[in-house]
């Protein structure tokens, strides 16, 4: 009885230490699970944004870029499709001389193809606008003269500016009502070239973040656990 009474404090201490260890372990496991779930949710969010808006948008814009490069091939540097359609008699400087550009049937066919793709871009953006989290694309855009010659006197977003350009290009190209436009007034609504730059930077950032998430130990454990479910 004496021995048992002597051991009782030690047993109580050991029990308390075990309880403390179990409590700490539980807190660590719970914290780890929360962290893992948070990272899993972020991965799913990134994949969702890349697959539903940023990836398809980048494909469309790259296609538009190539078509535009074909369209302007051999034309003066100052040639802009929208303002030229408004004023076909615009004079440009090429090799030190003033020249005019006459669009061919092939040029008009290219412009129509560009407009068709721009309509798909508008549908994509409007259907997935809630996934766009890049401020310059969705909220406030400040033109960078290194990439664009657009001058704005008001606040708008890059995508809003692009959508306005798409609508105006379509309207001017198929001007069945013979509306009169001013090329000077529409000069601020030429295609915003910086859109491609900002979009590709956003894709790089998301891709880099995704790769970093997949390099962390929790993700390796998660992949193993998901591919080897408990029986």
């Amino acid at each position: 009885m004496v021995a048992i009474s002597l051991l009782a404090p030690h047993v109580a201490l050991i029990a308390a230490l075990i309880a403390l260890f179990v409590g700490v372990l539980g807190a660590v496991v719970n914290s780890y699970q929360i962290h893992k779930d948070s990272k899993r949710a972020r991965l799913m969010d990134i994949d969702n944004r890349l697959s539903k808006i940023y990836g398809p948008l980048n494909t469309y814009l790259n296609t538009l870029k190539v078509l535009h490069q074909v369209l302007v091939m051999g034309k003066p540097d100052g040639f802009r499709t929208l303002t030229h359609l408004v004023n076909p008699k615009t004079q440009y400087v090429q090799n030190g001389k003033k020249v005019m550009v006459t669009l061919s049937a092939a040029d008009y066919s290219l412009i129509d193809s560009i407009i068709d793709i721009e309509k798909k871009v508008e549908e994509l953006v409007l259907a997935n606008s809630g996934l766009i989290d890049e401020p310059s694309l969705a909220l406030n855009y400040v033109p960078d003269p290194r990439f664009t010659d657009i001058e704005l006197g008001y606040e708008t977003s890059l995508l809003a500016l692009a959508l306005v350009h798409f609508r105006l290009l379509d309207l001017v190209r198929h001007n069945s009502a013979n509306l009169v436009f001013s090329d000077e007034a529409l000069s601020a609504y030429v295609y915003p070239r910086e859109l491609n730059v900002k979009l590709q930077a956003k894709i790089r950032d998301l891709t880099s973040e995704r790769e970093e998430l997949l390099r962390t130990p929790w993700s390796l454990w998660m992949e193993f656990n998901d591919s080897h479910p408990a029986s």
Side-chain angles (χ1 to χ4, degrees), residues 44-58 60 120-121 123-132:
M44 293 176 63
D45 179 59
I46 291 175
D47 287 344
N48 195 39
R49 295 179 193 276
L50 288 174
S51 63
K52 288 188 176 181
I53 182 64
Y54 292 129
L57 180 57
N58 190 50
Y60 279 138
K120 294 179 181 179
V121 172
E123 292 174 0
L124 176 71
V125 170
L126 295 180
N128 298 280
S129 58
L131 295 175
I132 302 170

Side-chain angles (χ1 to χ4, degrees), residues 89-226:
K89 296 182 179 180
T90 299
Q91 291 188 332
Y92 307 92
V93 177
Q94 188 175 39
N95 299 325
K97 299 179 181 180
K98 288 186 177 181
V99 298
M100 294 176 60
V101 174
T102 300
L103 297 180
S104 66
D107 289 332
Y108 283 113
S109 181
L110 279 170
I111 293 172
D112 290 340
S113 295
I114 287 172
I115 290 173
D116 287 341
I117 295 175
E118 289 176 345
K119 289 178 180 179
K120 294 179 181 179
V121 172
E122 181 175 356
E123 292 174 0
L124 176 71
V125 170
L126 295 180
N128 298 280
S129 58
L131 295 175
I132 302 170
D133 58 349
E134 169 58 39
S136 64
L137 296 180
L139 296 174
N140 187 27
Y141 163 58
V142 178
D144 187 334
R146 293 177 301 170
F147 303 106
T148 184
D149 53 359
I150 291 176
E151 294 183 7
L152 294 176
Y154 56 90
E155 289 188 0
T156 188
S157 70
L158 259 173
L159 283 173
L161 193 60
L163 296 187
V164 170
H165 166 75
F166 298 162
R167 290 295 186 96
L168 288 173
L169 183 61
D170 187 23
L171 186 61
V172 172
R173 171 69 180 97
H174 304 102
N175 188 8
S176 57
N178 295 318
L179 300 175
V180 178
F181 297 93
S182 165
D183 55 337
E184 183 177 352
L186 295 186
S187 62
Y189 302 101
V190 294
Y191 181 78
R193 295 168 178 168
E194 200 172 354
L195 174 57
N196 300 60
V197 177
K198 293 289 187 180
L199 176 62
Q200 289 167 10
K202 180 63 179 181
I203 291 175
R204 286 195 298 271
D205 289 344
L206 288 177
T207 302
S208 177
E209 182 183 354
R210 186 181 189 278
E211 291 174 351
E212 183 62 30
L213 288 171
L214 289 174
R215 278 197 294 266
T216 56
W218 73 267
S219 63
L220 298 177
W221 180 89
M222 180 186 72
E223 291 173 3
F224 178 86
N225 192 52
D226 289 345

Side-chain angles (χ1 to χ4, degrees), residues 56-98:
L57 180 57
N58 190 50
T59 299
Y60 279 138
L61 295 187
N62 282 337
T63 303
L64 289 174
K65 182 178 179 179
V66 173
L67 289 175
H68 182 261
Q69 288 173 341
V70 175
L71 175 63
V72 301
M73 193 176 298
K75 296 179 176 63
D77 291 340
F79 176 85
R80 300 303 291 265
T81 309
L82 179 62
T83 52
H84 182 82
L85 289 176
V86 173
N87 183 10
K89 296 182 179 180
T90 299
Q91 291 188 332
Y92 307 92
V93 177
Q94 188 175 39
N95 299 325
K97 299 179 181 180
K98 288 186 177 181

Side-chain angles (χ1 to χ4, degrees), residues 25-42:
L25 180 61
V28 171
V29 170
N30 184 58
S31 176
Y32 173 80
Q33 185 64 42
I34 292 174
H35 182 68
K36 186 187 76 171
D37 290 344
S38 175
K39 293 297 182 69
R40 185 201 296 262
R42 179 54 182 162

